[in-house]
Structure formats: structure tokens, C-alpha cells
Amino acid sequence: METGKRSLVKALVWNAIGLASMALVGFLATGSASLGGTMALINTALGFGCYVIYERVWTRINWGRHSEVEDHSGGGGVIRGQVGGQVGAQVGAQAHV
């Protein structure tokens, strides 16, 4: 599962990129750096909040994740782990298909 800190950092970086691009678009659309910057700040604040909530909700959804990963390296075992990537030890001498 992704940590809250990781989700926060991802959201901050993404929103910094969005802030810069939206400020440019706002300036080009209005001709005013002040109005374009205000539009960008409002958009960034709303987008940031929505993104953090969205990411945290998806960390709790198991759909599309695998809880068992087969070892295709030739070792013949099956790696069992928790959903979210914390993998345990390899078990078994041969994989049973």
C-alpha cells in the first residue's frame, strides 16, 4: 500500500507542474499575469485536494492487484505476498501448474 507521505509528495510535484502550465494559459487567455495567476492558484488548490483524496481512495481498492506472484526465474517456487507489494519468502521447490 502506498504511504500518505508518498501520495502527498506526488500530489505536490504534479500540482507544481499544473500551476506553472495553468498560469501560462491564464496569462495567454487574459493578458493579465495577476488574473492568470489567480486562476492558476484556484485551479491548483482544487486539483490538489481532489488528487490527494483520489489517491488515498485507490490505495484501499484491491481491484486489479495480484496477491500471488509466480516466480518465472526458473527457481520453480511461488512467491506469496500481501496485496500491495510486501512480498514474503519463496516457498516450494516446484511450481504446480
Side-chain angles (χ1 to χ4, degrees):
M1 180 167 12
E2 187 167 287
T3 65
K5 187 175 181 178
R6 178 179 163 87
S7 293
L8 180 64
V9 169
K10 285 172 50 181
L12 287 172
V13 170
W14 179 250
N15 275 279
I17 294 167
L19 176 63
S21 63
M22 185 63 187
L24 178 61
V25 169
F27 172 71
L28 293 175
T30 65
S32 167
S34 176
L35 183 57
T38 300
M39 290 170 52
L41 286 173
I42 292 169
N43 181 65
T44 298
L46 289 172
F48 176 76
C50 290
Y51 182 79
V52 169
I53 292 167
Y54 176 83
E55 284 291 316
R56 298 311 297 158
V57 167
W58 270 101
T59 62
R60 300 177 192 281
I61 297 172
N62 290 327
W63 176 81
R65 292 185 179 178
H66 299 283
S67 61
E68 241 180 55
V69 179
E70 289 190 32
D71 179 12
H72 295 287
S73 66
V78 175
I79 299 172
R80 298 186 189 280
Q82 298 175 355
V83 173
Q86 295 181 355
V87 178
Q90 185 174 355
V91 296
Q94 295 180 340
H96 299 284
V97 180

